[in-house]
Amino acid sequence: MREKALLLVVGVFLCGLVAGCGGGSTAGEVAESYGLLNNWDLQPRIAEVIESGQADKMIEDGHAKVRNRVNGVGSSRVLVTEFLIHGEVYRVEVRRAFNPMQNVPSFQVRFGEAKQGFESKIISWLNLAGVLDALQNNSYEARAEVAYRAWKGTDGTVHGVTVRPGLKPEWQPSPKPLDLFIRTKSWPIPEMWFRGLTTDGRRSSLKRGDCNYDFESQIPIRHSKSEFSCDGRWYIMNPGPAGFTGTEVLPFVNLELYNAIGGF
Protein backbone atom coordinates (compact mmCIF):
# COMPACT_ATOMS: atom_id res chain seq x y z
CA MET A 1 0.00 0.00 0.00
CA ARG A 2 2.84 2.40 0.89
CA GLU A 3 4.51 1.63 -2.46
CA LYS A 4 1.32 2.57 -4.34
CA ALA A 5 1.03 5.78 -2.35
CA LEU A 6 4.65 6.60 -3.12
CA LEU A 7 4.08 6.02 -6.84
CA LEU A 8 1.05 8.33 -6.75
CA VAL A 9 3.08 11.09 -5.08
CA VAL A 10 5.88 10.67 -7.62
CA GLY A 11 3.35 10.78 -10.47
CA VAL A 12 1.85 14.03 -9.17
CA PHE A 13 5.34 15.48 -8.75
CA LEU A 14 6.33 14.61 -12.31
CA CYS A 15 3.06 15.98 -13.65
CA GLY A 16 4.00 19.32 -12.15
CA LEU A 17 7.38 19.22 -13.86
CA VAL A 18 6.41 18.43 -17.44
CA ALA A 19 3.69 19.39 -19.87
CA GLY A 20 1.11 16.76 -20.69
CA CYS A 21 -1.33 16.55 -17.78
CA GLY A 22 -3.68 19.19 -19.13
CA GLY A 23 -6.96 18.08 -17.52
CA GLY A 24 -10.02 20.29 -17.22
CA SER A 25 -12.84 21.70 -19.33
CA THR A 26 -11.98 25.41 -19.24
CA ALA A 27 -8.82 27.16 -20.37
CA GLY A 28 -8.04 28.18 -16.78
CA GLU A 29 -8.43 24.63 -15.48
CA VAL A 30 -6.27 23.20 -18.27
CA ALA A 31 -3.52 25.79 -17.73
CA GLU A 32 -3.64 25.25 -13.96
CA SER A 33 -3.29 21.48 -14.36
CA TYR A 34 0.21 21.77 -15.87
CA GLY A 35 1.60 23.31 -12.70
CA LEU A 36 4.13 26.11 -12.44
CA LEU A 37 6.48 26.67 -15.35
CA ASN A 38 10.10 27.05 -14.16
CA ASN A 39 9.16 25.70 -10.75
CA TRP A 40 12.24 25.09 -8.57
CA ASP A 41 14.13 27.22 -11.15
CA LEU A 42 14.56 24.18 -13.39
CA GLN A 43 13.67 26.00 -16.63
CA PRO A 44 15.38 29.42 -16.45
CA ARG A 45 15.78 29.58 -20.24
CA ILE A 46 12.01 29.46 -20.74
CA ALA A 47 11.49 32.13 -18.08
CA GLU A 48 13.99 34.36 -19.90
CA VAL A 49 12.16 33.84 -23.20
CA ILE A 50 8.82 34.77 -21.61
CA GLU A 51 10.28 37.85 -19.90
CA SER A 52 11.81 39.06 -23.14
CA GLY A 53 8.46 38.84 -24.93
CA GLN A 54 9.84 36.29 -27.37
CA ALA A 55 7.42 33.56 -26.27
CA ASP A 56 4.42 35.60 -27.39
CA LYS A 57 6.26 36.67 -30.54
CA MET A 58 7.04 33.04 -31.39
CA ILE A 59 3.32 32.28 -31.25
CA GLU A 60 2.41 35.40 -33.22
CA ASP A 61 4.99 34.59 -35.90
CA GLY A 62 3.94 30.94 -36.14
CA HIS A 63 7.19 29.53 -34.76
CA ALA A 64 5.73 27.74 -31.73
CA LYS A 65 4.84 24.08 -31.94
CA VAL A 66 1.08 23.53 -31.77
CA ARG A 67 -0.61 20.37 -30.52
CA ASN A 68 -4.28 19.37 -30.31
CA ARG A 69 -6.12 16.89 -28.12
CA VAL A 70 -9.61 16.37 -26.71
CA ASN A 71 -10.68 16.44 -23.06
CA GLY A 72 -13.96 14.86 -21.95
CA VAL A 73 -16.59 12.95 -23.91
CA GLY A 74 -19.90 13.63 -25.60
CA SER A 75 -21.36 17.11 -25.52
CA SER A 76 -19.07 18.07 -22.61
CA ARG A 77 -15.86 17.47 -24.57
CA VAL A 78 -13.53 20.34 -25.43
CA LEU A 79 -10.77 20.75 -27.98
CA VAL A 80 -7.52 21.78 -26.30
CA THR A 81 -4.90 23.48 -28.46
CA GLU A 82 -1.47 23.72 -26.80
CA PHE A 83 1.26 26.15 -27.81
CA LEU A 84 4.72 24.93 -26.79
CA ILE A 85 7.83 27.01 -26.16
CA HIS A 86 11.05 24.98 -25.95
CA GLY A 87 9.00 21.83 -25.39
CA GLU A 88 6.79 23.22 -22.61
CA VAL A 89 3.15 24.26 -22.82
CA TYR A 90 2.92 28.04 -22.49
CA ARG A 91 -0.53 28.91 -23.85
CA VAL A 92 -3.73 26.93 -24.36
CA GLU A 93 -6.91 27.52 -26.32
CA VAL A 94 -10.05 25.63 -25.34
CA ARG A 95 -13.07 25.26 -27.63
CA ARG A 96 -16.41 23.80 -26.63
CA ALA A 97 -18.10 21.00 -28.53
CA PHE A 98 -20.46 22.04 -31.29
CA ASN A 99 -22.80 19.97 -33.47
CA PRO A 100 -23.31 21.51 -36.92
CA MET A 101 -26.07 18.96 -37.58
CA GLN A 102 -28.03 19.35 -34.37
CA ASN A 103 -31.27 20.20 -36.19
CA VAL A 104 -30.91 17.57 -38.91
CA PRO A 105 -31.34 13.90 -37.91
CA SER A 106 -28.97 11.48 -39.61
CA PHE A 107 -31.86 9.33 -40.84
CA GLN A 108 -33.00 12.26 -43.00
CA VAL A 109 -29.74 12.28 -44.95
CA ARG A 110 -29.86 10.97 -48.54
CA PHE A 111 -26.37 11.44 -49.96
CA GLY A 112 -23.32 13.68 -49.89
CA GLU A 113 -21.19 15.39 -52.50
CA ALA A 114 -17.82 17.15 -52.26
CA LYS A 115 -16.49 19.74 -54.70
CA GLN A 116 -13.11 21.44 -54.93
CA GLY A 117 -12.27 23.60 -57.90
CA PHE A 118 -13.39 21.74 -61.02
CA GLU A 119 -13.37 18.37 -59.26
CA SER A 120 -16.38 16.78 -57.59
CA LYS A 121 -17.28 13.39 -56.19
CA ILE A 122 -20.27 11.66 -54.69
CA ILE A 123 -19.50 10.40 -51.18
CA SER A 124 -20.21 6.69 -50.82
CA TRP A 125 -22.59 5.49 -48.12
CA LEU A 126 -19.66 3.93 -46.29
CA ASN A 127 -17.72 7.22 -46.23
CA LEU A 128 -20.84 9.27 -45.60
CA ALA A 129 -21.35 7.56 -42.23
CA GLY A 130 -17.85 8.67 -41.25
CA VAL A 131 -18.54 12.21 -42.51
CA LEU A 132 -21.70 12.48 -40.41
CA ASP A 133 -19.86 11.09 -37.37
CA ALA A 134 -17.04 13.60 -37.86
CA LEU A 135 -19.51 16.49 -38.10
CA GLN A 136 -21.49 15.45 -35.04
CA ASN A 137 -18.65 14.33 -32.76
CA ASN A 138 -15.53 16.24 -33.80
CA SER A 139 -16.72 19.81 -34.33
CA TYR A 140 -15.93 22.71 -32.01
CA GLU A 141 -16.81 26.38 -31.73
CA ALA A 142 -14.47 28.68 -33.63
CA ARG A 143 -14.16 31.12 -30.73
CA ALA A 144 -11.83 29.88 -28.00
CA GLU A 145 -11.12 30.62 -24.37
CA VAL A 146 -7.39 31.37 -23.96
CA ALA A 147 -5.14 30.88 -20.93
CA TYR A 148 -1.45 31.31 -20.18
CA ARG A 149 0.26 28.91 -17.83
CA ALA A 150 1.58 30.10 -14.47
CA TRP A 151 5.32 30.69 -14.47
CA LYS A 152 8.12 31.72 -12.18
CA GLY A 153 10.39 34.54 -13.32
CA THR A 154 14.17 34.67 -13.06
CA ASP A 155 13.79 37.03 -10.09
CA GLY A 156 11.61 34.51 -8.24
CA THR A 157 8.32 36.31 -8.91
CA VAL A 158 5.43 33.91 -9.54
CA HIS A 159 2.98 34.92 -12.26
CA GLY A 160 -0.37 33.15 -11.98
CA VAL A 161 -2.53 31.68 -14.71
CA THR A 162 -4.11 34.39 -16.85
CA VAL A 163 -7.31 33.83 -18.80
CA ARG A 164 -8.90 35.89 -21.53
CA PRO A 165 -11.75 35.35 -23.98
CA GLY A 166 -10.77 34.45 -27.49
CA LEU A 167 -11.56 36.55 -30.51
CA LYS A 168 -14.22 35.70 -33.05
CA PRO A 169 -12.16 34.61 -36.06
CA GLU A 170 -12.48 36.49 -39.30
CA TRP A 171 -10.96 34.02 -41.71
CA GLN A 172 -10.09 35.26 -45.16
CA PRO A 173 -11.40 33.38 -48.24
CA SER A 174 -9.26 30.50 -49.41
CA PRO A 175 -7.89 30.20 -52.95
CA LYS A 176 -9.37 26.73 -53.37
CA PRO A 177 -11.94 25.82 -50.69
CA LEU A 178 -13.65 22.45 -50.39
CA ASP A 179 -17.46 22.49 -50.44
CA LEU A 180 -19.38 19.67 -48.78
CA PHE A 181 -23.07 19.27 -49.67
CA ILE A 182 -25.24 16.87 -47.69
CA ARG A 183 -28.69 16.41 -49.16
CA THR A 184 -31.63 15.32 -47.04
CA LYS A 185 -35.23 14.20 -47.49
CA SER A 186 -36.27 17.88 -47.49
CA TRP A 187 -36.96 18.03 -43.74
CA PRO A 188 -36.13 20.26 -41.96
CA ILE A 189 -33.99 21.61 -44.84
CA PRO A 190 -33.23 20.07 -48.26
CA GLU A 191 -29.47 20.56 -48.13
CA MET A 192 -26.61 21.39 -45.77
CA TRP A 193 -23.62 23.24 -47.16
CA PHE A 194 -20.27 23.28 -45.37
CA ARG A 195 -17.10 24.95 -46.67
CA GLY A 196 -13.61 23.89 -45.63
CA LEU A 197 -10.92 26.55 -45.98
CA THR A 198 -7.52 25.67 -47.36
CA THR A 199 -4.18 27.32 -47.88
CA ASP A 200 -1.62 26.15 -50.39
CA GLY A 201 1.31 24.60 -48.54
CA ARG A 202 -0.36 23.81 -45.22
CA ARG A 203 -0.46 20.20 -44.16
CA SER A 204 -3.81 18.63 -43.37
CA SER A 205 -3.91 18.60 -39.64
CA LEU A 206 -4.27 15.41 -37.95
CA LYS A 207 -3.15 12.03 -37.27
CA ARG A 208 -0.42 12.73 -34.73
CA GLY A 209 -2.49 15.39 -32.97
CA ASP A 210 -0.47 18.23 -34.45
CA CYS A 211 -2.18 21.28 -35.87
CA ASN A 212 -0.62 23.51 -38.47
CA TYR A 213 -2.80 26.53 -37.87
CA ASP A 214 -3.39 29.03 -35.10
CA PHE A 215 -7.15 29.38 -35.47
CA GLU A 216 -7.22 32.68 -33.64
CA SER A 217 -4.28 34.57 -35.12
CA GLN A 218 -4.58 32.76 -38.49
CA ILE A 219 -0.91 31.86 -38.76
CA PRO A 220 0.34 28.80 -40.66
CA ILE A 221 2.69 26.87 -38.37
CA ARG A 222 4.60 24.76 -40.88
CA HIS A 223 4.64 23.96 -44.57
CA SER A 224 5.01 20.44 -45.88
CA LYS A 225 2.44 19.86 -48.64
CA SER A 226 2.06 21.51 -52.00
CA GLU A 227 -1.53 20.49 -52.64
CA PHE A 228 -4.56 22.27 -51.25
CA SER A 229 -5.95 20.52 -48.18
CA CYS A 230 -8.30 21.64 -45.43
CA ASP A 231 -6.61 22.90 -42.27
CA GLY A 232 -9.48 22.54 -39.78
CA ARG A 233 -11.37 25.78 -40.49
CA TRP A 234 -14.96 25.28 -41.64
CA TYR A 235 -18.06 27.37 -42.24
CA ILE A 236 -21.77 26.58 -42.22
CA MET A 237 -22.79 28.33 -45.42
CA ASN A 238 -26.58 28.02 -45.46
CA PRO A 239 -29.32 28.64 -42.85
CA GLY A 240 -30.80 25.61 -41.13
CA PRO A 241 -28.12 23.43 -39.51
CA ALA A 242 -27.23 23.98 -35.86
CA GLY A 243 -29.97 26.56 -35.39
CA PHE A 244 -28.11 28.90 -37.73
CA THR A 245 -30.61 31.33 -39.27
CA GLY A 246 -28.46 34.39 -40.00
CA THR A 247 -27.22 35.72 -43.30
CA GLU A 248 -23.52 35.55 -42.35
CA VAL A 249 -21.63 32.27 -42.54
CA LEU A 250 -21.00 30.50 -39.21
CA PRO A 251 -17.41 29.38 -38.48
CA PHE A 252 -16.41 26.21 -36.63
CA VAL A 253 -13.34 23.99 -36.22
CA ASN A 254 -13.17 20.34 -37.26
CA LEU A 255 -9.83 18.53 -37.59
CA GLU A 256 -11.30 15.21 -38.74
CA LEU A 257 -13.81 16.15 -41.44
CA TYR A 258 -11.38 16.48 -44.37
CA ASN A 259 -9.95 13.03 -43.75
CA ALA A 260 -13.47 11.59 -43.38
CA ILE A 261 -14.40 13.00 -46.78
CA GLY A 262 -11.30 11.39 -48.21
CA GLY A 263 -9.85 14.45 -49.89
CA PHE A 264 -9.30 14.64 -53.62
Side-chain angles (χ1 to χ4, degrees):
M1 183 64 71
R2 284 186 298 178
E3 291 179 353
K4 291 182 179 179
L6 179 60
L7 288 174
L8 179 60
V9 171
V10 171
V12 172
F13 175 78
L14 292 175
C15 192
L17 284 178
V18 299
C21 297
S25 59
T26 68
E29 290 173 350
V30 173
E32 190 72 39
S33 70
Y34 296 114
L36 185 65
L37 194 57
N38 192 36
N39 201 6
W40 297 290
D41 300 313
L42 295 178
Q43 298 148 323
R45 175 59 182 148
I46 296 178
E48 292 171 359
V49 171
I50 296 173
E51 290 170 342
S52 69
Q54 289 302 305
D56 294 305
K57 191 174 188 316
M58 287 174 68
I59 293 174
E60 291 170 3
D61 292 345
H63 297 153
K65 182 177 180 180
V66 184
R67 209 165 51 190
N68 280 297
R69 58 186 173 76
V70 175
N71 281 359
V73 295
S75 60
S76 63
R77 74 190 183 280
V78 293
L79 177 66
V80 178
T81 302
E82 302 172 323
F83 293 80
L84 284 73
I85 303 296
H86 293 297
E88 290 285 348
V89 175
Y90 170 60
R91 180 178 115 178
V92 294
E93 296 177 358
V94 174
R95 291 174 170 82
R96 294 181 297 180
F98 168 72
N99 182 6
M101 290 184 58
Q102 68 181 33
N103 285 340
V104 183
S106 297
F107 63 80
Q108 291 290 339
V109 172
R110 296 178 61 197
F111 68 93
E113 182 180 8
K115 295 182 179 181
Q116 189 169 29
F118 296 105
E119 298 181 84
S120 66
K121 69 174 183 179
I122 300 298
I123 301 173
S124 69
W125 275 104
L126 183 62
N127 284 356
L128 186 57
V131 169
L132 299 180
D133 180 74
L135 278 167
Q136 293 170 329
N137 299 309
N138 293 285
S139 297
Y140 301 89
E141 296 177 353
R143 187 192 296 267
E145 184 184 30
V146 180
Y148 292 84
R149 184 176 169 187
W151 59 284
K152 183 179 179 182
T154 55
D155 62 354
T157 301
V158 174
H159 304 262
V161 170
T162 57
V163 181
R164 64 173 176 82
L167 303 175
K168 180 181 179 181
E170 296 181 359
W171 298 326
Q172 300 302 310
S174 291
K176 194 176 180 182
L178 184 149
D179 289 311
L180 170 65
F181 302 96
I182 298 179
R183 291 171 174 90
T184 73
K185 298 177 182 178
S186 298
W187 186 92
I189 56 172
E191 181 179 80
M192 293 176 283
W193 176 15
F194 305 101
R195 170 163 288 177
L197 303 187
T198 62
T199 302
D200 189 14
R202 289 190 191 143
R203 52 175 285 179
S204 60
S205 318
L206 295 228
K207 296 302 181 183
R208 292 185 299 275
D210 289 342
C211 172
N212 65 314
Y213 198 85
D214 178 347
F215 297 110
E216 187 175 82
S217 61
Q218 307 180 40
I219 296 170
I221 303 302
R222 68 171 70 86
H223 298 269
S224 63
K225 292 183 76 173
S226 59
E227 69 267 26
F228 290 90
S229 57
C230 293
D231 52 28
R233 301 173 298 152
W234 291 84
Y235 278 117
I236 296 177
M237 301 297 292
N238 64 322
F244 172 54
T245 58
T247 55
E248 296 183 0
V249 294
L250 182 66
F252 67 100
V253 171
N254 190 308
L255 300 177
E256 298 285 351
L257 186 53
Y258 179 77
N259 288 336
I261 293 170
F264 279 87

